[in-house]
C-alpha cells in the first residue's frame, strides 16, 4: 500500500489536559507548515490550560469540544469527524486519557472520537513520572500497543512539578517525525471482512474494487501533469457498492472528497501507484475503473524544482503509463468476474466506447461525454450510455449518485445472470 505524505495528510489532534498542552499549539503550527490539514478536539481539562481560540487560530478550523453541541448531533457528527482524518494524534495524552482509551471509555467528545474512529492513533504521553511508571499506566500502554496504537515519548527530563524522570511530552518536532513515520504504513484499521456491511444487499458477500479521481504525474517536486476529474462518479460508485453490501476498496487519486463511509480507501498519486494498489486489492468479484488515469508520465521527473533558464522552456519527454483496466481484464486466475471501464470522450462516443470495450477486454463500458460545456467533470450530474458486447443502453441524465446506484444494480444483475 502506498505511503501518505504529511503534505496531503489530514490530522485530527486531540489535546488532553496537561501543562504540555501549550506545546500542542506549536505542534499544530509545525504540522501545518508541512502542508497537513489539522483539526482539533479538546477535552474539558485541556481548556483549562490553553484556549480553544488559540487552537482555532493556529489550525484555521473550528475546534470541537462538546459532545452534545448541536453540530455533533447533525450531519457533522463526531463519527464523521474521526473518519475524515488520516491519523489521530493525542498530545498531550494524560494518564487518565490513556486509561480511557485502554478501557474503551467514551464520555466526552475526545474519547468518543477515539473509540469511533477507523484510523490509527499516535499518542504522546505527558504526566508526572510516578503516574507514568505506575503499573496501571504501564498496563494500559501495553494494552494500547497491542491494539496497534503508536507512541512517541515520553522524554526524560525536569518536569513542571519539579521532579526529574520520564514523563515529559515529546517535543513538537519529534511528534512531527513520528507522524511522518506513522503515515508510511496504512493508517486505516481494518474491520474483519464482512463486519459492518449491510446484509441482504444485491452485492452481499462480494468484493468490489473501484478506481476514482485523476492521477498526478510529477514533472518535478512542485509541478505535475493532471486532469480535471473530481472523483465524484467513482466515489459515488464505491459508496453505492458498499451500500449494496459489497466489501469495497476504493483506490483514489488526489481528490477533495471525503472517504465514503465503510469503504477502504487507498490514496495514491501516480498511475503506477494506482496500478500497484489495484493489483494488491485483488482478487475481487467486480472491478470498476472510473479513474481518469493519465495516459503518459514524464520520463525523468526532476528531483529538484526546474528553474527558469535563459535558453528557453524545458522539453518534457513523455512515456506511456500502464493501462490498469486492460491489465486487470487480461489477468488470469484472479480476473474479476465483471470488469467495467469508463470512456470519457469528446467525440464519436459510442464508436470509441465499442472499440475500447474490445481493446481493453472488459465486460461493460460506461461512456460519457466530457466536452467543455457538458459539465461532467466536477459536476453533480452525468449522462451515460452503457456499452456491452450484446448491445447498448442509453440512460437519461441523472445525478452521479443515481448513476452509481443504477450501475451497481446492473452489475449485480450481470453477476447473477439475472435478466
Ligand atoms: O484513458 P482511456 O479513455 O483509455 O480510459 C478508459 C478507461 O480505462 C477508464 O475506465 C479508465 O479508468 C481506464 N484506464 C486505466 N488505466 C489507464 C488509462 C485508462 O485503467 N492507464
Amino acid at each position: 500500500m502506498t505511503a501518505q505524505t504529511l503534505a496531503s495528510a489530514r490530522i485530527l489532534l486531540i489535546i488532553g489536559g496537561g501543562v504540555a498542552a501549550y506545546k500542542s499549539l506549536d505542534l499544530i503550527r509545525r504540522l501545518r507548515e508541512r502542508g497537513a490539514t489539522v483539526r482539533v478536539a479538546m477535552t474539558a481539562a485541556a481548556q483549562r490550560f490553553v484556549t480553544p481560540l488559540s487552537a482555532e487560530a493556529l489550525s484555521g478550523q473550528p475546534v470541537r469540544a462538546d459532545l452534545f453541541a448541536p453540530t455533533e448531533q447533525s450531519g457533522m457528527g463526531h463519527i464523521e469527524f474521526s473518519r475524515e482524518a488520516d491519523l489521530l494524534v493525542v498530545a498531550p495524552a494524560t494518564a487518565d486519557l490513556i486509561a480511557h482509551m485502554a478501557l474503551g471509555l467514551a464520555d466526552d467528545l475526545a474519547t468518543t472520537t477515539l473509540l469511533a474512529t477507523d484510523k490509527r492513533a499516535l499518542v504522546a504521553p505527558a504526566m508526572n513520572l510516578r503516574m507514568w511508571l505506575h503499573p496501571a499506566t504501564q498496563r494500559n500502554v501495553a494494552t494500547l500497543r497491542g491494539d496497534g496504537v503508536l507512541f512517541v515519548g515520553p522524554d526524560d527530563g525536569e518536569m513542571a512539578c519539579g521532579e526529574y524522570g520520564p514523563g515529559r511530552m515529546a517535543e513538537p518536532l519529534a511528534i512531527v517525525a513520528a507522524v511522518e513515520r506513522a503515515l508510511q504504513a496504512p493508517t486505516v484499521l481494518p474491520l474483519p471482512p464482512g463486519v459492518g456491511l449491510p446484509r441482504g444487499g444485491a452485492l452481499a458477500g462480494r468484493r468490489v474494487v473501484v478506481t476514482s479521481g485523476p492521477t498526478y504525474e510529477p514533472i518535478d517536486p512542485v509541478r505535475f501533469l493532471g486532469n480535471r476529474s473530481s472523483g465524484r462518479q467513482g466515489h459515488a460508485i464505491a459508496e453505492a457498492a458498499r451500500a449494496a453490501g459489497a466489501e469495497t476498496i476504493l483506490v483514489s487519486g488526489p481528490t477533495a472528497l471525503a472517504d465514503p463511509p465503510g469503504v477502504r480507501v487507498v490514496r495514491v498519486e501516480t498511475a503506477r501507484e494506482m496500478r500497484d494498489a489495484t493489483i494488491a486489492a485483488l482478487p475481487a468479484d467486480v472491478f470498476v475503473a472510473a479513474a481518469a488515469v493519465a495516459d503518459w508520465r514524464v520520463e525523468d521527473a526532476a528531483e529538484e524544482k526546474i528553474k527558469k533558464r535563459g535558453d528557453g522552456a524545458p522539453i518534457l519527454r513523455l512515456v506511456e503509463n500502464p493501462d490498469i483496466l486492460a491489465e486487470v481484464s487480461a489477468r488470469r486466475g484472479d480476473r474479476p468476474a465483471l470488469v467495467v471501464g469508463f470512456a470519457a470522450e469528446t467525440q464519436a462516443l459510442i464508436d470509441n466506447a465499442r472499440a475500447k470495450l474490445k481493446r481493453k477486454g472488459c465486460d461493460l463500458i460506461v461512456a460519457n461525454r466530457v466536452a467543455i460545456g457538458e459539465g461532467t467533470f466536477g459536476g453533480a450530474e452525468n449522462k451515460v450510455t452503457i456499452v456491452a458486447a450484446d448491445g447498448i443502453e442509453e440512460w437519461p441524465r441523472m445525478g452521479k449518485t443515481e448513476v452509481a446506484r443504477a450501475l451497481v444494480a446492473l452489475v449485480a444483475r450481470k453477476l447473477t445472470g439475472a435478466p
Side-chain angles (χ1 to χ4, degrees):
M1 220 166 287
T2 317
Q4 261 231 282
T5 65
L6 196 47
S8 61
R10 298 161 305 168
I11 307 295
L12 172 49
L13 173 64
I14 294 174
I15 305 183
V19 184
Y22 77 92
K23 288 196 210 170
S24 298
L25 297 179
D26 189 37
L27 175 62
I28 299 174
R29 206 168 57 89
R30 304 281 183 183
L31 289 168
R32 288 196 69 202
E33 270 169 9
R34 286 159 180 78
T37 309
V38 184
R39 296 169 95 182
V40 179
M42 292 173 81
T43 64
Q47 294 172 60
R48 309 289 288 263
F49 292 92
V50 291
T51 67
L53 194 61
S54 308
E56 204 153 300
L58 287 163
S59 67
Q61 307 257 4
V63 168
R64 316 271 285 262
D66 180 4
L67 183 57
F68 297 104
T71 43
E72 300 307 329
Q73 308 306 323
S74 65
M76 268 304 295
H78 52 275
I79 294 180
E80 200 180 325
F81 183 47
S82 70
R83 304 274 161 91
E84 282 178 358
D86 297 308
L87 184 73
L88 275 66
V89 177
V90 190
T94 59
D96 179 66
L97 200 43
I98 289 173
H100 268 75
M101 287 177 74
L103 284 174
L105 295 176
D107 54 10
D108 65 1
L109 181 75
T111 47
T112 307
T113 303
L114 281 161
L115 196 61
T117 190
D118 60 349
K119 303 292 165 26
R120 207 177 285 285
L122 169 70
V123 170
M127 65 196 77
N128 167 273
L129 73 105
R130 286 178 205 285
M131 292 171 86
W132 172 250
L133 294 174
H134 195 286
T137 303
Q138 290 302 313
R139 226 174 16 246
N140 290 334
V141 169
T143 300
L144 290 173
R145 282 192 201 279
D147 293 344
V149 171
L150 305 169
F151 282 83
V152 52
D155 293 346
D156 277 10
E158 188 158 351
M159 324 211 46
C161 54
E163 287 188 284
Y164 189 95
R168 281 169 62 95
M169 187 169 90
E171 292 303 320
L173 285 179
I175 300 178
V176 169
V179 167
E180 275 176 325
R181 280 196 302 278
L183 292 171
Q184 298 296 308
T187 56
V188 181
L189 305 171
L191 285 173
V195 172
L197 290 173
R199 286 165 199 270
L203 289 178
R206 308 283 194 169
R207 191 175 155 107
V208 175
V209 177
V210 182
T211 64
S212 180
T215 63
Y216 285 1
E217 309 297 330
I219 296 171
D220 65 19
V222 201
R223 308 175 178 100
F224 59 86
L225 297 176
N227 60 66
R228 296 179 195 276
S229 169
S230 66
R232 287 177 79 157
Q233 187 62 76
H235 277 56
I237 292 167
E239 193 164 351
R242 166 68 171 63
E247 182 196 346
T248 308
I249 302 166
L250 175 63
V251 183
S252 173
T255 76
L257 302 174
D259 294 354
V263 170
R264 181 144 74 83
V265 181
V266 185
R267 287 164 180 274
V268 297
E269 288 215 338
T270 66
R272 285 186 294 175
E273 289 169 0
M274 186 173 274
R275 179 223 169 256
D276 291 350
T278 302
I279 301 298
L282 297 178
D285 298 288
V286 180
F287 174 54
V288 182
V293 185
D295 291 322
W296 309 284
R297 67 175 180 276
V298 177
E299 187 173 33
D300 289 309
E303 303 255 318
E304 305 293 338
K305 185 180 169 194
I306 302 171
K307 294 270 179 227
K308 236 191 218 167
R309 302 175 303 190
D311 57 348
I315 292 173
L316 301 178
R317 218 188 116 72
L318 303 181
V319 290
E320 250 178 62
N321 265 331
D323 190 317
I324 306 165
L325 177 59
E327 191 175 329
V328 171
S329 296
R331 281 182 82 83
R332 295 177 187 279
D334 62 359
R335 183 195 192 273
L338 206 69
V339 177
V340 183
F342 273 66
E345 303 288 350
T346 52
Q347 54 183 342
L349 184 67
I350 305 303
D351 286 350
N352 278 325
R354 282 213 176 95
K356 213 164 271 185
L357 187 75
K358 270 214 185 105
R359 194 170 69 243
K360 305 224 179 196
C362 52
D363 305 293
L364 290 177
I365 286 275
V366 181
N368 55 2
R369 240 176 256 288
V370 291
I372 300 289
E374 294 283 340
T376 305
F377 274 135
E381 292 193 332
N382 209 350
K383 160 103 184 68
V384 304
T385 305
I386 309 292
V387 179
D390 57 359
I392 69 169
E393 260 180 53
E394 181 98 35
W395 288 2
R397 178 169 283 280
M398 295 188 273
K400 286 183 176 170
T401 312
E402 289 162 88
V403 170
R405 287 191 192 133
L407 184 65
V408 162
L410 174 66
V411 160
R413 286 201 302 280
K414 294 253 177 208
L415 271 185
T416 56

